[in-house]
Amino acid sequence: MGHRVLVVDDDPTVSDVVRRYLEQAGCEVQLAADGADGLAAIAAARPDLVVLDLMMPGIDGLEVCRRIRRQLPDLPVVMLTALGEEADRVLGLEVGADDYVTKPFSPRELVLRIRSVLRRTAAPAAPPTASAKLIDAALTVDTARRTARLDGAPLALTSREFDLLMFLMRHPGRAWSRSDLLDKVWGWQFGDQSTVTVHVRRLREKIENDPAEPQRIRTVWGVGYRYDPLDEDTDA
């Protein structure tokens, strides 16, 4: 893959296994033993992706993720969690994780998840063109630069939030189930559908005037979600 990945985990056995598999996949890997060391490593040299353990002494993974999102909203984060409750997994997504893997996990699955996130956030090979922009009234998404603006102000979107918004804007007026979106946006053939629910909620908070009464990303009861452009001339 040729990317720099920071692994933040207080379990040296887990860190070593993850490091070996990522190095075999072509990554340059840096290890941090706790949240404070992880934040210091990010400040010293931004990685391409962070693998972040949820449960750590001191500054836990949730707080590390919150701080990353405040400073580097587009830095991909894949969270590792040993917690089995859905509420705990959802909490990780709500603070801004792009993806998560539950312990005990398959290292090969983790590598595949990381590849998926990095592939979607890779810089474009060609210069951006006008056709790379999706425009809906005051909302503009530049798919080549992977930037989004609302009323001229930049939106702080995670990589998965950006992927989801881009996909929905490219397919206006069509209802998608959560399993459809897991497949099309995340590349998962199966998985926790609450992942989609959390990302939709986070997107609504960023692009809707009133997230409680969304006008763009609408719920289609019994199906899933549909993007309704405010500007009917939106590029698709």
Side-chain angles (χ1 to χ4, degrees):
M1 289 187 287
H3 292 91
R4 292 180 297 109
V5 177
L6 173 65
V7 179
V8 186
D9 196 310
D10 64 320
D11 187 330
T13 301
V14 172
S15 293
D16 185 61
V17 170
V18 173
R19 177 188 57 79
R20 286 189 287 109
Y21 271 83
L22 286 174
E23 288 179 345
Q24 289 172 9
C27 290
E28 177 185 336
V29 182
Q30 181 179 1
L31 303 181
D34 56 37
D37 285 347
L39 291 169
I42 294 169
R46 171 175 169 159
D48 296 312
L49 182 142
V50 177
V51 177
L52 179 62
D53 186 34
L54 177 62
M55 301 297 292
M56 292 184 293
I59 305 174
D60 64 14
L62 292 175
E63 180 57 26
V64 172
C65 193
R66 289 189 187 98
R67 296 188 190 185
I68 290 173
R69 285 294 162 251
R70 286 197 294 267
Q71 300 172 18
L72 300 166
D74 60 341
L75 175 59
V77 175
V78 175
M79 190 164 281
L80 302 179
T81 171
L83 302 176
E85 295 296 326
E86 180 180 354
D88 296 311
R89 299 195 300 271
V90 168
L91 186 56
L93 295 170
E94 286 182 335
V95 298
D98 295 283
D99 207 342
Y100 71 89
V101 177
T102 303
K103 296 179 181 180
F105 59 88
S106 161
R108 290 186 179 87
E109 178 190 0
L110 176 61
V111 170
L112 289 174
R113 294 286 184 90
I114 290 171
R115 278 177 170 162
S116 174
V117 174
L118 288 172
R119 184 170 59 249
R120 292 175 180 274
T121 56
T129 64
S131 62
K133 290 188 177 180
L134 302 169
I135 302 172
D136 174 20
L139 175 63
T140 301
V141 173
D142 189 322
T143 63
R145 291 190 175 93
R146 291 186 64 86
T147 59
R149 290 179 173 271
L150 182 63
D151 293 321
L155 291 174
L157 301 179
T158 69
S159 60
R160 290 296 194 192
E161 289 168 357
F162 185 91
D163 293 339
L164 179 59
L165 177 59
M166 179 172 63
F167 180 82
L168 291 172
M169 289 185 71
R170 281 177 166 168
H171 302 87
R174 174 170 175 176
W176 298 91
S177 69
R178 292 191 297 172
S179 62
D180 287 337
L181 293 172
L182 274 179
D183 180 25
K184 300 295 185 181
V185 178
W186 278 258
W188 300 359
Q189 300 302 313
F190 57 89
D192 185 353
Q193 294 185 7
S194 64
T195 299
V196 177
T197 305
V198 172
H199 279 78
V200 167
R201 181 164 65 244
R202 288 176 58 87
L203 260 185
R204 283 172 168 167
E205 291 171 353
K206 296 177 180 181
I207 70 170
E208 301 282 5
N209 290 329
D210 181 0
E213 296 290 339
Q215 299 300 305
R216 286 187 168 101
I217 304 178
R218 294 181 179 270
T219 298
V220 182
W221 298 108
V223 180
Y225 303 101
R226 183 186 70 236
Y227 190 90
D228 288 345
L230 299 184
D231 180 352
E232 292 301 328
D233 293 329
T234 298
D235 278 342

